[in-house]
């Protein structure tokens, strides 16, 4: 007989869904709940109020869902109660968040008297994104009365023990006095919550300000060392730092962001769990699921599995087909929604949209920080461009990176039959066929025609990669020869041009890193200072030694062992400014500059 024992490491394994900056239709939320249950996330945190709107009915304050303060986009009490029951049947809790005293524009549009400053008026909901000065006047007793009644309304809809009241990103003219006032305000509100049998949750700013009452939960989203302060005040920690899905970081980065990675084990008892966050500045119902899955499953496993489970390669193997599984279960429309966006870009052509789907395997969207600064997006900006249709991570590109690593480690006798070449040839054929169609009908589909310069740049990259693989096999005894250097230069220039051009579309080329290795292997130069991610074939490390098998100056693998602190090693990879020793698989660098790292 076989006995399987499996249990979660953390009790709170959550996902925050921002329903404010872009409203999520009520039919999307059950799918997200089903997907969460599938990957063993047990909490959905609904962000329901902010500067761009208020999203739930309040019997005490009906103007909160008036057209002026919600744009007509909100959930009825009946819908939310049904959602709570639906989630409970699947083992998922729903925790609501009403943000005070900051992020309060929607509250002030509906009830201007909450401001306290009669000379200032809120003109309307914020359409832009960021941190605004619109805050409720928590010194006023009427604000306390308002929030007390509002949390009562919220508690009658959401039976969960926890109620999130935000408290983050408050803009004050007198920071010290305001922090003292917030401490007093949240102490009073906490008494109201206790009478409702609720526990207060707030963002970590309240913990930093010493404004969270004892027994509360601090949701930590910044890399602050708050452990001792939380333990002293008997405050539990809900960890979100490193789990912001809207930044579109790789799955591996989220997976390796352990809540207790940098702390002593003694603090484990105050961590209730962790929560992935999906803020909606740049997502709508059409593409939110492509930003959630499968990367969210990596966070789910981090919160479920033991600290020692950290095999990124095996994780990718297991979650690769998660989007199609979720779609088959009715727990996602990620793939079908992506095709709708691609058909729109292809002017309804099925053949062109399928070609665009293949080309999208080479591309990744910029994350929130790269797209939103300088400010150019609002709640009214259509999110229907190619960057919005792309998946947050490309499994095919990850597979291609492994194929290149295998190719460089053990060059085949015939490059044509190698997996790396076959993938490149498939991309090249698709790109060339689409460019031919666009050249013969240049006015047939303006969205695709506007992307033609990007496709042409990608064609040069892929063709350069194919030529580079051929040269690695045909000139492997003559690395650094005129022919191989020419191939290296051609590939490097194509990559530089494609990276520069794709950035104009807020897109990055997902295959740059492995093809840079091909360029280096041809003998055409060393990596720039900082190196290329995944330069290492393999790495192992402990507290004393970093052992790496890296690509050297000519592209040949070499063994490097370094004792901490790392020092420059002649067997490492030369740089203009010193010596790059190794880049680990998780992207961290072990680097020597001069004589030490």
């Amino acid at each position: 007989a076989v006995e399987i024992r499996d249990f979660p490491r953390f009790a709170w394994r959550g996902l925050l869904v921002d329903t404010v900056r872009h409203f999520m239709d009520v039919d999307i939320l059950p799918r997200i709940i089903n997907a969460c249950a599938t990957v063993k996330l047990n909490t959905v945190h609904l962000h329901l109020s902010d500067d761009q709107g208020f999203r739930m009915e309040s019997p005490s304050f009906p103007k909160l869902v008036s057209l002026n303060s919600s744009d007509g986009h909100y959930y009825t009490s009946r819908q939310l109660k049904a959602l709570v029951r639906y989630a409970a049947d699947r083992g998922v809790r729903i925790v609501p968040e009403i943000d005070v005293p900051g992020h309060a524009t929607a509250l002030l549009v509906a009830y201007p008297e909450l401001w306290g400053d009669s000379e200032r008026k809120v003109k309307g909901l914020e359409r832009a994104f960021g941190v605004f000065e619109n805050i409720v006047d928590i010194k006023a007793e009427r604000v306390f009365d308002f929030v007390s009644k509002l949390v009562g309304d919220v508690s009658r809809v959401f039976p969960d023990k926890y109620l999130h009241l935000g408290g983050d990103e408050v803009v004050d003219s007198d920071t010290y006095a305001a922090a003292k006032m917030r401490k007093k305000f949240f102490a009073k509100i906490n008494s109201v919550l206790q009478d409702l049998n609720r526990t207060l949750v707030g963002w970590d700013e309240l913990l930093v300000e010493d404004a969270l009452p004892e027994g509360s939960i601090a949701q930590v989203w910044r890399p602050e060392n708050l452990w001792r302060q939380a333990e002293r005040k008997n405050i539990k920690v809900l960890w979100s730092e490193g789990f912001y899905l809207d930044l579109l970081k790789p799955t591996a980065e989220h997976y390796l962001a352990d809540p207790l990675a940098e702390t002593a084990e003694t603090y484990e008892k105050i961590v209730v769990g962790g929560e992935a966050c999906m803020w909606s500045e740049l997502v709508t119902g059409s593409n939110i699921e492509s930003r959630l899955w499968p990367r969210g499953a990596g966070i789910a496993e981090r919160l479920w599995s033991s600290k020692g489970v950290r095999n990124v390669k095996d994780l990718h193997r297991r979650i690769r087909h998660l989007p199609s599984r979720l779609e088959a279960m009715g727990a996602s429309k990620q793939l079908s929604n992506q095709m709708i966006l691609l058909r729109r870009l292809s002017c309804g052509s099925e053949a062109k949209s399928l070609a665009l789907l293949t080309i999208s395997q080479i591309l990744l969207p910029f994350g929130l920080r790269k797209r939103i600064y300088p400010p150019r997006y609002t709640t009214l900006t259509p999110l229907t461009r190619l960057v919005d249709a792309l998946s947050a991570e490309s499994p095919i590109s990850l597979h291609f990176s492994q194929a290149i690593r295998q190719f460089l480690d053990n060059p085949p006798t015939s490059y044509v039959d190698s997996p790396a070449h076959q993938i490149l040839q498939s991309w090249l054929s698709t790109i060339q066929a689409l460019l031919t169609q666009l050249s013969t009908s240049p006015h047939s589909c303006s969205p695709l025609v506007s992307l033609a310069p990007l496709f042409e740049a990608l064609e040069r990259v892929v063709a350069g990669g194919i030529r580079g693989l051929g040269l690695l096999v045909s000139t492997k005894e003559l690395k650094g020869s005129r022919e191989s250097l020419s191939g290296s230069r051609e590939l490097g220039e194509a990559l530089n041009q494609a990276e520069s051009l794709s950035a104009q579309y807020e897109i990055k080329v997902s295959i740059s890193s492995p093809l840079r290795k091909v360029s280096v292997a041809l003998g055409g130069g060393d990596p720039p200072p900082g190196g290329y991610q995944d330069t290492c074939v393999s790495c192992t490390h402990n507290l004393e030694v970093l052992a790496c098998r890296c690509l050297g100056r000519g592209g040949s693998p070499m063994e490097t062992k370094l004792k901490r602190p790392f020092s420059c090693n002649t067997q490492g990879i030369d740089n203009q400014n010193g010596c790059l020793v190794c880049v680990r698989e998780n992207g961290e660098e072990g680097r020597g500059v001069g004589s030490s790292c």
Side-chain angles (χ1 to χ4, degrees):
V2 175
E3 180 182 352
I4 298 175
R5 299 184 65 195
D6 191 21
F7 52 89
R9 181 180 173 201
F10 296 107
W12 188 317
R13 305 178 305 282
L15 169 67
L16 179 152
V17 178
D18 176 8
T19 68
V20 180
R21 289 169 178 86
H22 282 97
F23 182 65
M24 300 297 150
D25 288 337
V26 71
D27 63 329
I28 296 170
L29 300 180
R31 295 203 303 266
I32 291 175
I33 289 168
N34 276 323
C36 285
T38 301
V39 300
K40 294 189 171 69
L41 291 174
N42 67 352
T43 307
V44 170
H45 168 176
L46 290 182
H47 185 73
L48 294 166
S49 74
D50 216 295
D51 296 301
Q52 294 77 19
F54 196 89
R55 301 300 184 214
M56 70 169 287
E57 281 183 322
S58 167
S60 301
F61 304 104
K63 286 194 287 185
L64 286 174
V65 292
S66 66
L67 189 62
N68 288 341
S69 52
S70 72
D71 284 332
H73 297 306
Y74 64 92
Y75 309 111
T76 67
S77 297
R78 178 178 293 183
Q79 287 173 328
L80 291 173
K81 288 177 179 178
L83 192 70
V84 168
R85 291 193 298 271
Y86 185 89
D89 287 344
R90 289 150 182 80
V92 176
R93 304 158 39 228
I94 297 185
V95 174
E97 179 184 356
I98 304 297
D99 210 341
V100 290
H103 289 287
T105 303
L107 299 178
L108 294 167
V109 168
Y111 296 93
E113 62 270 21
L114 297 176
W115 199 319
D117 187 341
S118 60
E119 295 181 4
R120 299 180 68 180
K121 299 294 181 184
V122 180
K123 295 179 180 178
L125 294 175
E126 295 290 350
R127 300 302 179 190
F129 306 117
V131 180
F132 303 98
E133 297 181 356
N134 304 332
I135 61 176
V136 297
D137 182 13
I138 56 176
K139 300 188 301 297
E141 191 65 24
R142 63 178 175 275
V143 171
F144 171 73
D145 292 339
F146 177 93
V147 176
S148 298
K149 291 178 182 178
L150 182 58
V151 298
D153 288 350
V154 173
S155 296
R156 282 185 283 276
V157 174
F158 296 97
D160 196 79
K161 177 183 177 182
Y162 299 95
L163 202 158
H164 205 305
L165 287 180
D168 60 312
E169 297 181 325
V170 180
V171 180
D172 298 302
S173 56
D174 187 340
T175 305
Y176 177 72
K180 289 180 66 176
M181 185 57 63
R182 276 193 288 279
K183 181 175 182 178
K184 181 179 178 181
F185 174 78
F186 279 101
K188 289 174 66 179
I189 286 295
N190 191 51
S191 297
V192 175
L193 292 178
Q194 287 177 337
D195 290 340
L196 294 168
N197 195 29
R198 298 293 186 272
T199 298
L200 171 63
V201 186
W203 292 101
D204 63 31
E205 285 93 333
L206 294 178
L207 178 58
V208 171
E209 296 172 350
D210 195 30
L212 268 182
E214 183 177 346
S216 303
I217 290 181
Q219 185 163 6
V220 175
W221 67 284
R222 302 173 301 171
E224 305 276 353
N225 189 2
L226 305 172
W227 300 102
R228 192 169 297 175
Q229 187 174 352
E231 185 180 43
R232 186 177 67 251
K233 290 204 65 181
N234 188 30
I235 288 173
K236 303 293 185 181
V237 169
L238 178 63
W239 192 263
S240 287
E241 202 272 318
F243 293 161
Y244 270 48
L245 292 170
D246 53 301
L247 300 182
L248 303 191
K249 299 291 187 181
T251 300
E253 188 167 328
H254 295 306
Y255 183 57
L256 297 173
D258 193 283
L260 290 163
E262 304 298 330
T263 67
E265 294 297 327
T266 54
Y267 291 124
E268 189 161 2
K269 64 182 182 296
I270 70 172
V271 180
V272 297
E275 201 167 83
C277 294
M278 186 67 251
W279 300 103
S280 65
E281 285 94 338
L282 296 176
V283 297
T284 66
S286 297
N287 67 350
I288 184 172
E289 288 159 314
S290 73
R291 275 48 178 152
L292 291 175
W293 318 116
R295 294 179 308 129
I299 297 173
E301 177 160 314
R302 171 52 47 232
L303 298 173
W304 180 281
S305 299
S306 64
K307 192 173 184 177
V309 177
R310 298 172 64 83
N311 189 325
V312 174
K313 184 177 180 180
D314 188 57
L315 173 72
H316 280 302
R317 177 188 64 80
R318 289 181 284 110
I319 68 172
R320 179 174 181 177
H321 299 294
L322 180 64
S324 57
R325 283 181 55 210
L326 291 177
E327 187 122 3
M329 294 166 54
S332 173
K333 289 189 176 180
Q334 173 180 341
L335 303 179
S336 52
N337 281 342
Q338 182 183 37
M339 285 308 301
I340 290 172
L341 289 170
L342 293 178
R343 285 191 195 98
R344 181 179 295 169
L345 289 167
S346 305
C347 302
S349 167
E350 189 70 17
K352 290 175 182 174
S353 62
L354 289 173
L356 197 52
L357 179 64
T358 298
I359 296 170
S360 71
Q361 297 168 352
I362 310 174
L363 304 170
L364 293 174
F366 277 1
L368 176 67
R369 288 175 183 161
K370 278 194 171 184
R371 290 184 69 184
I372 212 164
Y373 300 111
R376 54 187 176 273
Y377 286 94
T378 73
T379 57
L380 305 177
T381 305
L383 298 178
T384 55
R385 297 161 55 217
L386 179 58
V387 62
D388 304 302
L390 295 174
S391 297
E393 195 163 61
S394 171
I396 300 296
S397 290
L398 294 171
H399 177 62
F400 176 70
S401 295
Q402 294 170 2
I404 289 292
R405 187 177 302 172
Q406 181 182 4
F407 188 103
L408 295 176
D409 197 15
N410 298 293
T413 54
S414 172
Y415 80 98
V416 175
D417 297 326
S418 68
H421 175 268
Q422 291 172 357
I423 296 171
L424 285 171
Q425 189 60 57
S426 172
W427 285 332
L428 182 62
S429 300
T430 301
I431 295 169
Q432 289 177 337
L434 183 58
L435 284 171
T436 299
Q437 292 179 55
L438 294 179
S439 65
T440 56
S441 305
H443 305 295
S444 61
C445 185
S446 57
L448 273 185
V449 171
S450 69
L451 293 167
L454 176 62
F455 300 152
E456 291 167 353
L458 293 175
E459 179 188 23
R460 288 189 287 273
V461 165
V462 176
I466 291 173
R467 183 189 177 203
L469 295 184
L471 288 170
L472 281 176
V473 172
S474 63
T475 63
K476 58 184 175 182
E477 303 301 327
L478 299 169
K479 286 175 183 169
S481 66
R482 178 177 299 177
E483 188 176 6
S484 64
L485 287 174
S486 172
S488 174
R489 184 168 57 253
E490 175 188 305
L491 179 55
E493 290 174 355
L495 284 166
N496 291 340
Q497 183 183 20
E499 288 169 351
S500 175
L501 184 62
S502 65
Q504 298 175 27
Y505 297 89
E506 300 179 317
I507 288 169
K508 54 189 174 182
V509 181
S510 64
I511 57 173
S512 284
S513 179
L515 289 182
R516 292 282 184 189
K517 295 177 193 176
V518 173
S519 178
V520 171
L522 288 167
D526 300 321
Y532 305 117
Q533 189 169 333
D534 298 329
T535 301
C536 281
V537 176
S538 61
C539 287
T540 58
H541 57 91
N542 55 37
L543 293 177
E544 297 177 349
V545 177
L546 168 70
C548 293
R549 193 163 183 238
C550 300
L551 298 176
R553 172 180 287 276
S556 304
M558 58 176 57
E559 302 289 341
T560 304
K561 284 191 176 181
L562 299 171
K563 291 185 177 180
R564 297 174 187 270
F566 304 141
S567 59
C568 194
N569 186 306
T570 55
Q571 288 187 313
I573 303 173
D574 260 347
N575 278 334
Q576 310 78 307
N577 295 344
C579 168
L580 172 69
V581 177
C582 180
V583 181
R584 300 175 193 158
E585 286 194 59
N586 65 2
E588 295 177 9
E589 295 178 1
R591 160 199 274 228
V593 178
S595 60
S596 64
C597 283

